[in-house]
């Protein structure tokens, strides 16, 4: 008779708790949208998308909860401060620069600062990636979506 997990292995508590959290979140969404009409895919009601997302969350919750029972706890790495601070500084710099310096400077500086969060970043690759992301941001937000975002500091 086979067991789900070998003897002596502990539950993967982080996965189990995350799965239970997702299941509870989806149950809350189903409860909150119970009075909204769902409709169908062809004629969506106001409750259709929240329930669809709740169903996806339920699936992920069941997956993580089931996986926690099938394997033992692998351990959690120690939190690294450098990546967390680097990403936070990049997001903050983007928010501070977007209005005064424009989209080009804000996007490019955010990529440079985010790359500083990793010791594996290479300068040439980061600059090339930053140029591509910046060009993509201008094309998407300013040209395709026509958002009123200044591209350059002098176009304000």
């Amino acid at each position: 008779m086979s067991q789900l997990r070998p003897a002596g292995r502990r539950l993967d508590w982080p996965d189990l708790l995350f799965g239970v959290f997702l299941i509870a979140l989806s149950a809350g969404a189903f409860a909150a949208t119970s009075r909204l009409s769902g409709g169908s895919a062809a004629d969506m009601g106001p409750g259709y998308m929240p329930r669809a997302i709740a169903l996806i969350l339920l699936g992920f919750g069941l997956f993580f909860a089931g996986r926690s029972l099938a394997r033992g706890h692998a351990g959690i790495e120690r939190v690294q401060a450098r990546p967390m601070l680097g990403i936070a500084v990049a997001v903050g710099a983007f928010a501070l620069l977007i209005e005064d310096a424009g989209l080009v400077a804000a996007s490019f500086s955010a990529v440079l600062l985010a790359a500083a969060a990793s010791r594996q970043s290479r300068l040439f690759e980061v600059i090339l990636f930053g140029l591509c992301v910046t060009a993509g941001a201008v094309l998407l937000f300013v040209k395709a979506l026509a958002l009123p975002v200044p591209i350059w500091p002098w176009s304000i």
Side-chain angles (χ1 to χ4, degrees):
M1 194 158 152
S2 68
Q3 295 179 346
L4 279 179
R5 48 187 180 101
R9 292 181 75 183
R10 300 182 322 168
L11 282 175
D12 190 356
W13 282 104
D15 270 2
L16 180 63
L17 294 175
F18 183 59
V20 169
F21 169 74
L22 290 179
I23 292 168
L25 193 64
S26 67
F30 281 123
T33 61
S34 64
R35 294 182 185 211
L36 299 175
S37 88
S40 65
D43 185 27
M44 294 181 197
Y48 187 86
M49 280 309 293
R51 287 187 197 136
I53 293 171
L55 188 62
I56 292 169
L57 283 177
L58 178 63
F60 277 116
L62 292 172
F63 169 77
F64 280 106
R67 187 173 78 169
S68 73
L69 299 173
R71 68 177 191 166
H73 181 60
I76 298 175
E77 279 189 45
R78 203 175 120 231
V79 175
Q80 302 291 320
R82 181 180 176 156
M84 293 179 66
L85 288 174
I87 300 302
V89 168
V91 170
F94 182 86
L96 292 173
L97 290 173
I98 188 69
E99 287 186 26
D100 295 331
L103 183 61
V104 170
S107 298
F108 193 72
S109 64
V111 170
L112 290 178
L113 290 168
S118 171
R119 291 189 171 104
Q120 298 168 344
S121 298
R122 296 187 181 115
L123 184 60
F124 176 74
E125 293 173 355
V126 169
I127 290 173
L128 185 63
F129 182 68
L131 291 173
C132 291
V133 167
T134 300
V138 169
L139 289 173
L140 175 65
F141 296 114
V142 177
K143 301 302 179 189
L145 297 176
L147 294 178
V149 178
I151 299 173
W152 305 104
W154 54 83
S155 65
I156 296 175

